[in-house]
């Protein structure tokens, strides 16, 4: 995904000067060339920002995956980047009668972003319940923030507490398996 944003940014940079150059050549007034180039500049800046955000988010997911591999019980199945109808689930933990959805978010979770995350997780829960109707489905968000908190009925867990949360939901400890 990151490469798509970078490719688009490079494409925009290559074509950014053309409207200005054409206006300097006399094809149309200079202000028209600038007016046509400015949206391309904004597209470039947006693509560059999105590429960096995606890269930062992927880095956090890789870090979380390393921790999950050490704290998910041996009898549980850990899957990453599970494709569903509306996007993907960052991590899915399947254990006996339970399925646990883990969504990872880097950066501050508040306001509109928190609301969109909540809605995203609700769609994920709905999709997994359809796929596994016989299993109990739980979910929480892993965040890079310092403190855990609730938003409505969804728990937002800081990275340092995620293993305790997982083991608590699965009602097991690493040593007894």
């Amino acid at each position: 995904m990151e490469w798509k944003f970078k490719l688009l940014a490079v494409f925009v940079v290559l074509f950014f000067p053309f409207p200005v150059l054409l206006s300097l050549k006399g094809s149309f007034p200079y202000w028209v060339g600038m007016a046509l180039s400015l949206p391309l500049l904004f597209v470039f800046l947006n693509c560059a920002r999105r590429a960096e955000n995606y890269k930062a988010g992927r880095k956090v997911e890789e870090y979380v995956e390393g921790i999950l591999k050490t704290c998910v019980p041996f009898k549980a199945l850990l899957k990453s980047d599970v494709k569903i109808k509306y996007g993907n689930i960052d991590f899915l933990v399947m254990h006996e009668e339970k399925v646990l959805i883990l969504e990872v978010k880097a950066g501050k979770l508040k306001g509109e972003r928190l609301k969109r995350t909540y809605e995203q997780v609700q769609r994920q829960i709905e999709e997994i319940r359809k796929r596994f109707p016989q299993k109990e489905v739980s979910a929480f968000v892993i965040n890079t923030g310092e403190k855990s908190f609730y938003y409505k009925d969804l728990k937002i867990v800081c990275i340092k507490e995620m293993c305790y949360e997982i083991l608590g939901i699965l009602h097991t400890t690493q040593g007894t398996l």
Side-chain angles (χ1 to χ4, degrees):
M1 185 69 131
E2 176 188 357
W3 65 270
K4 290 179 184 177
F5 293 125
K6 285 184 177 179
L7 183 64
L8 186 57
V10 168
F11 176 78
V12 169
V13 166
L14 291 176
F15 287 98
F16 171 70
F18 282 129
V20 174
L21 292 174
L22 288 173
S23 66
L24 292 175
K25 187 179 174 188
S27 300
F28 43 83
Y30 180 71
W31 66 270
V32 173
M34 287 302 293
L36 293 173
S37 290
L38 281 177
L40 290 174
L41 175 64
F42 291 124
V43 167
F44 165 73
L45 293 174
N46 186 39
C47 289
R49 179 186 55 80
R50 289 186 71 178
E52 282 304 311
N53 288 348
Y54 182 81
K55 185 177 178 182
R58 189 66 208 136
K59 211 175 211 180
V60 171
E61 285 180 22
E62 289 170 359
Y63 175 70
V64 166
E65 185 171 19
I67 296 171
L68 288 173
K69 287 179 179 179
T70 64
C71 73
V72 169
F74 299 116
K75 290 183 179 179
L77 173 66
L78 173 65
K79 296 189 78 162
S80 63
D81 199 29
V82 177
K83 304 293 183 226
I84 61 170
K85 186 176 181 180
Y86 300 106
N88 76 315
I89 296 173
D90 292 334
F91 297 100
L92 200 62
V93 180
M94 299 183 73
H95 182 266
E96 296 172 356
E97 300 297 317
K98 297 180 182 185
V99 177
L100 178 59
I101 298 168
L102 306 172
E103 184 63 32
V104 179
K105 295 293 180 187
K108 293 182 180 178
L109 261 182
K110 59 183 184 178
E112 190 61 32
R113 184 168 184 239
L114 181 57
K115 181 182 173 193
R116 284 193 316 270
T117 299
Y118 177 81
E119 291 166 354
Q120 175 187 4
V121 172
Q122 294 308 309
R123 286 190 303 270
Q124 292 172 347
I125 291 170
E126 189 176 307
E127 178 78 19
I128 294 302
R129 281 186 177 146
K130 286 179 186 175
R131 288 188 189 185
F132 303 100
Q134 72 283 9
K135 294 193 180 257
E136 179 185 328
V137 179
S138 301
F140 64 84
V141 176
I142 300 168
N143 187 244
T144 56
E146 290 294 316
K147 294 183 178 181
S148 297
F149 62 96
Y150 279 93
Y151 177 76
K152 298 184 181 181
D153 58 344
L154 178 64
K155 188 160 188 181
I156 316 299
V157 178
C158 64
I159 291 176
K160 64 184 177 186
E161 295 177 7
M162 72 179 178
C163 287
Y164 297 114
E165 200 66 36
I166 291 168
L167 295 173
I169 289 172
L170 299 178
H171 300 297
T172 185
T173 61
Q174 193 78 322
T176 60
L177 295 175

